[in-house]
Structures are given as structure tokens and as C-alpha cells.
Amino acid sequence: MTGEAAVLDTKSYTDEMLNWARGQGKILIVVHDNPDPDCLASAMALRHLFVMKLNREATIAFSGIIGRSENLAMAKELEIPLVPMGLLDFGEFSVVCMLDTQPGTGNNSLPPSVKVDILIDHHPIREASKACRWVDIRDDYGVTATILYEYLCAQNVQISTKLATALFYAIKSETQDLGREANKPDREAYLRLFAPSNKKLLYEITHPKLPVEYFLTINTAIENAMIYGRLLVTNLGNLCFPEIVAEMADFFLRLEGVETVLTMGRYSEEMILSLRTTKHDLNAGVLIKKIVEGRGLAGGHGMMAGGKIDNVGAAQEEIREVQELLVARMLAELGLEGAKAVSLGSLKPMLPGP
């Protein structure tokens, strides 16, 4: 199901999908690299669906790391079984599912030779995705987890407290409490999942202890922040974990007078990018593809997007060259070529004395 077809009978669709999977062998669920709450909850839900309807376990595989403290807490507190992709023999699996990402996007490590059978996502459809057997892409949804919640409801599958907590937290974090790109199904799922979710677990997930590197990265991001009109760009330097790039983009978007934020940082020979905007007439997914064109891969949708540029060395000259290219393209796309760069520190207001 894609686009308007997403409103088709979910019960019939999932019946057919499950009947097909019933006749297959081992099941693999693949999520994107450095998984976030949305893909973790989605994988947990799909795995539960297979257990309850097919009496079949499924393996959840990921690549990269789970570095953000909230995401680590989620995986630990909700006991999500995760297997590093490098430990798998893909030949053992007859059914390959992909959640919250798509083939060829660059943000998952599934080898191109491995065919995806079941694809569920909320990002705009890619050409390669059309070759998958079962495709449910709803780019008008704010969260992939909402789609999986609807699968469980359509199949009358009981949702445990931990699964409800995972799904609720995914919608909460991805849409920032329904304030960003949430549609009616997201809102309905959020409200229905709130009651059965475990509030103590939610607190443990949303208030974890943070490593010192986290605060040092914030300091670097603030020191490097430059403002061009209503655009803020910052380089976080070398990263301790890649997810912090997106977190800092959300953080700086709260700055008074700023409408669009581009954050970047180097991790494992890659320049990781995150783009956020509050402008409804600006498509972040389209914009970030333009600024990395010819140099990297990117994707996203209305108000949020991400990407990466591979093979970025540690030399400051090389890092500076990549940053200058991205900033120049960003300014051109936003019509800000003549905007003067202003450091965040120079905006410090005059504070009264003691």
C-alpha cells in the first residue's frame, strides 16, 4: 500500500501478508543504522505480530551503534532483542522485513544482494522499494510505529504493557508530543497507548544519566554555531555517537528567530547530517538531497531529514571543505547567498551587573 492506498482495509492486507509469511522459513527484521525509538518500537511490534499470529520468532537486526542514552535505555528497559547485522548469515532467512528505512537509502546496512520482502515505512517511496513483495509506505504518517500499531489492532493482537510503552514513546519522540508531522492516526494511537503504557518505564527512558561527552559535544556545537538570517548551521566535530546530530538539530531549532537548522558531525569517516525546519513551505527531505547531491546520500520528509557524506578524512582542511560546500549550497537553496554569518556568541545580550 502506498499513498492513498494506505487507507485500504488493513485487516485484509495483513491477513494476506501473514498467510504468505506462514509458508516461509526464518524471518529477519531489519531496521536502519543507529536505530531510533521509531524503528525499535516498530520492530518490536512486528516481531510480536509474528509470534502471536504465526507462532514464529523473528530476528531483529541492526548496524552501527545505539549511542543516545534515551535509546539505550529504551532497548534495555523494554528488553528489545537486537542482533548486530554482522553476526548474521542472510542465507538462513526466507523472509526479510525492513522497517522505517528503504533499500538504497544509505541509512541501512542490508547488502544490496538481499531482497526485501516486507517493507513498512513512512518516508517517501524510493524506486527500488517498488520491487519488494509487500510494500506499505504511508508518507503522510508521522511515525512508522503507528502503522504497526494499526496492524496489531486489525489483527486483534493483545498489546503488552512494554510494547504499549515502546509504541507510545516512539510516537512521542518522533512527533515531539504530536507537535511535529503528526496526522490523525498518529494522534489516535498516541492517546490510546498512553493509558496502557508504563509511566515509570517512560520516566526511566526519558531521563537517563548522560555521559560527559554529551555535554562536551553541546559545548562544541554552541561554539561553532553560525547564523545566516533565519538559518543556523553548526559542526559538532568528532562524534561519540551519531544520533546526537539529530538531537542537536532539534535543540537549536528552539532558538528564537531561527526557522531552519543544519547540524553536522564526523563519525567513522562519515559526515553525518541532520536538517530541521519549522517552515511548512520547505520540504526538508528534498532540500537535503540537493545539498548532498554528488557527494552523499540523504532522505526525509516535510520538517525533518538526515543524510551523510562518506569518506571524509580527519584533516581539518577536508572537513572544512565539506562544510563550506554544504553551507554554500544551503544558502543558495534558501536564497540567502548575501546573508552575513553571525556567531551565536556575538548575540549574547548585555546582562545587568550584580
Side-chain angles (χ1 to χ4, degrees), residues 96-233:
V96 177
C97 312
M98 180 172 281
L99 304 179
D100 200 32
T101 180
Q102 297 178 44
T105 58
N107 70 337
N108 68 74
S109 297
L110 186 70
S113 59
V114 179
K115 184 178 184 299
V116 175
D117 300 297
I118 298 171
L119 176 62
I120 308 167
D121 191 19
H122 72 121
H123 299 95
I125 191 168
R126 302 281 185 129
E127 189 62 33
S129 300
K130 297 176 182 178
C132 302
R133 182 183 294 268
W134 300 94
V135 180
D136 190 353
I137 294 178
R138 311 185 191 184
D139 58 8
D140 57 332
Y141 277 46
V143 192
T144 300
T146 300
I147 305 173
L148 272 300
Y149 170 72
E150 292 185 358
Y151 281 17
L152 297 175
C153 292
Q155 290 293 325
N156 292 313
V157 171
Q158 184 175 359
I159 299 175
S160 68
T161 297
K162 285 187 176 179
L163 180 52
T165 304
L167 291 167
F168 175 80
Y169 179 63
I171 300 170
K172 170 185 172 67
S173 61
E174 187 83 357
T175 67
Q176 297 195 337
D177 287 305
L178 304 182
R180 178 178 65 189
E181 295 190 358
N183 71 356
K184 184 178 179 182
D186 299 313
R187 294 191 294 271
E188 290 178 348
Y190 178 96
L191 295 173
R192 290 173 182 168
L193 288 164
F194 176 75
S197 64
N198 185 309
K199 310 310 181 291
K200 185 177 185 300
L201 286 177
L202 283 172
Y203 179 84
E204 296 296 332
I205 293 168
T206 55
H207 296 83
K209 285 292 185 181
L210 301 168
V212 65
E213 291 85 359
Y214 176 86
F215 298 95
L216 294 174
T217 301
I218 292 178
N219 184 60
T220 300
I222 291 173
E223 288 182 343
N224 292 343
M226 300 298 292
I227 300 171
Y228 306 82
R230 295 188 176 276
L231 166 69
L232 184 146
V233 179

